[in-house]
Amino acid sequence: MSKLDKTNEHEEHTPSSSFSREIEKEPGGADIQHCIQCGMCTASCMVASVTEKYRPRKLIQKILLGMREEVLTSELPWLCMTCRQCEERCQEDVSLAEIFHAVRNIAAREGYIPVGVQKVVDTVMEDGWMLKDGYSDFIEDDRDDLGLHTDLGWNNEFVKKIKKRFIDGGNKK
Ligand code: SF4
Ligand code: SF4
């Protein structure tokens, strides 16, 4: 059976809470009550492998237990890389990436956005570019050396503006 065919394929599991019901109604949060807390997601997670503070199973548990404020004010839901490795292995077809998107959407609406994330958003909104040194001629030069087309179909006006702004130290306008 494909994932598209599933209807009530998995049962709900307790506990639930008003917060987990809230997440359930948010786009992406529909499957949260199917979690059986097996821990396969944490065992599969690349972020969890590099930091002990990030434990996706535990984060789901906190939602199920209704720890709304703690979850929404935490940076942890923002650490998910959306790689979906956990989803490949979850026997209950729980989409943690989508659930954490739902959590982040609620958190953002209520003004809980980690400072680092907010700074990136502000930079993109202001400059249209995320990293100060994100553009260089090196890709074009390398391609030229190899006899390849150097026009990669980017928005050249945009790139020129960014290059002027960040590489050539020109006018910010
Ligand atoms: S792998 Fe799935 S069922 Fe197991 S703890 Fe993670 S989300 Fe829950
Ligand atoms: S989707 Fe998120 S929680 Fe799942 S393995 Fe990737 S980083 Fe970890």
Side-chain angles (χ1 to χ4, degrees):
M1 179 186 295
S2 79
K3 287 194 176 186
L4 290 176
D5 294 332
K6 68 172 183 178
T7 40
N8 296 324
E9 185 186 348
H10 302 288
E11 295 175 5
E12 285 193 1
H13 302 283
T14 55
S16 68
S17 63
S18 58
F19 185 35
S20 64
R21 295 298 180 194
E22 181 182 354
I23 294 291
E24 201 177 21
K25 288 184 191 123
E26 193 74 17
D31 292 331
I32 188 162
Q33 295 293 152
H34 299 154
C35 175
I36 58 170
Q37 289 286 293
C38 69
M40 183 58 85
C41 46
T42 295
S44 310
C45 177
M46 67 167 84
V47 181
S49 73
V50 294
T51 174
E52 286 186 9
K53 70 181 179 182
Y54 185 72
R55 292 289 178 266
R57 178 203 63 78
K58 206 165 186 178
L59 207 43
I60 296 290
Q61 182 186 49
K62 286 182 177 181
I63 296 169
L64 293 171
L65 291 173
M67 301 165 78
R68 189 178 192 280
E69 188 173 353
E70 181 177 331
V71 172
L72 291 185
T73 58
S74 166
E75 65 165 357
L76 297 180
W78 301 80
L79 297 185
C80 173
M81 303 285 290
T82 318
C83 70
R84 301 181 190 275
Q85 176 86 339
C86 54
E87 297 175 23
E88 291 292 323
R89 297 179 177 174
C90 175
Q91 60 192 311
E92 295 296 317
D93 286 339
V94 176
S95 172
L96 288 94
E98 295 302 321
I99 288 170
F100 296 149
H101 280 157
V103 171
R104 296 196 293 231
N105 283 340
I106 296 173
R109 286 203 297 268
E110 299 190 9
Y112 302 122
I113 301 176
V115 174
V117 175
Q118 187 65 59
K119 274 188 184 166
V120 170
V121 172
D122 290 345
T123 302
V124 171
M125 294 302 282
E126 186 181 339
D127 298 323
W129 204 250
M130 197 166 80
L131 299 172
K132 188 169 182 179
D133 299 321
Y135 176 82
S136 80
D137 289 334
F138 123 92
I139 293 174
E140 288 182 6
D141 289 347
D142 265 5
R143 290 181 66 87
D144 199 30
D145 289 346
L146 292 167
L148 300 171
H149 290 298
T150 56
D151 184 354
L152 301 179
W154 294 337
N155 179 342
N156 287 339
E157 286 310 309
F158 172 75
V159 172
K160 277 183 206 159
K161 187 177 167 190
I162 296 301
K163 188 169 179 293
K164 192 174 174 187
R165 165 82 164 81
F166 288 112
I167 310 296
D168 300 331
N171 192 323
K172 292 189 178 184
K173 298 288 178 192

